[in-house]
Amino acid sequence: MYPDFPLDPSVPNGAPCWVGPRHLAGDDGRLYDTVADTLAGLGWTSLTIVRGRHEPNEAPEERQVLRSTVLHISPDSLRWAQWSLADEPFLLGDRPIAWQVSARADTSSPLTAWSAYFTPAVPGEAVADFLAALDARDEPAVPLAGPEMVLDALAAHGWLRDSGQLQAAAVDPAFTSHFSLGEVPPLIQDGDPRALTTGAGEPGPVGWQAWSEPAPGAPYLWAASFGTSVPHDLVAAFAASLSSTAPVLRRVLPEATRERLLRAPAS
């Protein structure tokens, strides 16, 4: 898949280099910056909310910060993205949530139509492309395409359809990263009423789930979850970017996938 992109083990750690495949390249420790810069360029505004603990007679600079949230809001207030550093993190695949992206149908209702979640180490380029596609939509809560669009985006970059779920799952050629249309994990916010009314033992609503497992049974490198009402074309934008064969610039390589990455000097 990368005929002109040789492995160069002589590239020293910390030196900028082009790496691939993208879905194993991590976030370079810059997931917030990459996404926030994209949102700023799209004209979204940001608001920082800090919750902490202040003891009597304690100097302000010694206050304990328990949660720091940066909320980015689109100009029409129909979509928003939240970055959190939490004292009680919300886990996805045993990884803490870093970005939560949400949208609503109109400004007259405070109810969230859908949410999507991304952990650290998701390539920032893929989250940024998801948000760019969301920003470009006139109606962020209206579905425009079917799930086949997601699988087509992955297949275009060489990913393989799961033989047991041809219409609902795909995996990269090295079987390390996965995309699946399956039951949504608990606590995922969504406007679909089935998310609240599903009884014990009943199958819940389905949505796209993505994750990278560098080796069988190994901890996940990253995970992403899309609520059942997230439009498929937006998920396809994320899938196309995540599976892209174009190399990405990195200084910090994930330990779990370092030996799997193709590298070339940036200069």
Side-chain angles (χ1 to χ4, degrees), residues 17 21 37 43 84 98 107 129 138 166 184-185 188 195 206 217 222 241 245 252:
C17 57
D37 289 349
S84 296
T107 56
D129 286 342
D138 292 330
L166 289 176
V184 176
I188 299 298
V206 299
W222 55 261
S241 182
T245 58
V252 181

Side-chain angles (χ1 to χ4, degrees), residues 69-252:
T69 299
V70 184
L71 182 65
H72 299 256
I73 306 172
S74 66
D76 62 7
S77 300
L78 291 179
R79 53 214 104 191
W80 58 96
Q82 177 177 297
W83 170 271
S84 296
L85 298 176
D87 52 332
E88 297 178 356
F90 174 16
L91 299 180
L92 183 64
D94 290 327
R95 299 279 286 153
I97 296 296
W99 280 104
Q100 177 181 341
V101 179
S102 304
R104 57 180 173 170
D106 58 73
T107 56
S108 65
S109 172
L111 298 179
T112 299
W114 57 258
S115 291
Y117 303 80
F118 307 92
T119 72
V122 174
E125 295 86 354
V127 182
D129 286 342
F130 174 81
L131 284 160
L134 170 61
D135 183 81
R137 259 175 157 265
D138 292 330
E139 297 179 293
V142 177
L144 298 179
E148 192 72 15
M149 189 176 188
V150 178
L151 297 174
D152 288 346
L154 295 167
H157 292 151
W159 284 41
L160 310 172
R161 296 202 182 205
D162 189 314
S163 59
Q165 305 178 73
L166 289 176
Q167 305 304 315
V171 62
D172 78 285
F175 299 92
T176 55
S177 297
H178 307 259
F179 241 93
S180 177
L181 185 60
E183 188 169 349
V184 176
L187 304 180
I188 299 298
Q189 296 181 18
D190 197 88
D192 190 321
R194 292 175 299 167
L196 301 175
T197 60
T198 303
E202 298 178 355
V206 299
W208 287 102
Q209 313 303 314
W211 67 97
S212 182
E213 188 178 16
Y220 286 0
L221 174 63
W222 55 261
S225 180
F226 301 87
T228 188
S229 299
V230 179
H232 296 295
D233 59 294
L234 297 182
V235 183
F238 174 81
S241 182
L242 180 77
S243 61
S244 172
T245 58
V248 289
L249 190 63
R250 293 289 188 268
R251 289 179 178 271
V252 181

Side-chain angles (χ1 to χ4, degrees), residues 13-14 17 19-30 95 120-124 212 214 219-222 248-263:
N13 291 338
C17 57
V19 304
R22 181 178 298 189
H23 60 91
L24 297 180
D27 60 15
D28 206 30
R30 300 186 69 256
R95 299 279 286 153
V122 174
S212 182
Y220 286 0
L221 174 63
W222 55 261
V248 289
L249 190 63
R250 293 289 188 268
R251 289 179 178 271
V252 181
L253 304 180
E255 287 293 338
T257 58
R258 182 184 300 273
E259 299 307 317
R260 292 177 176 267
L261 292 170
L262 301 175
R263 301 187 289 257

Side-chain angles (χ1 to χ4, degrees), residues 1-6 245 262:
M1 292 179 65
Y2 301 87
D4 301 316
F5 189 40
T245 58
L262 301 175

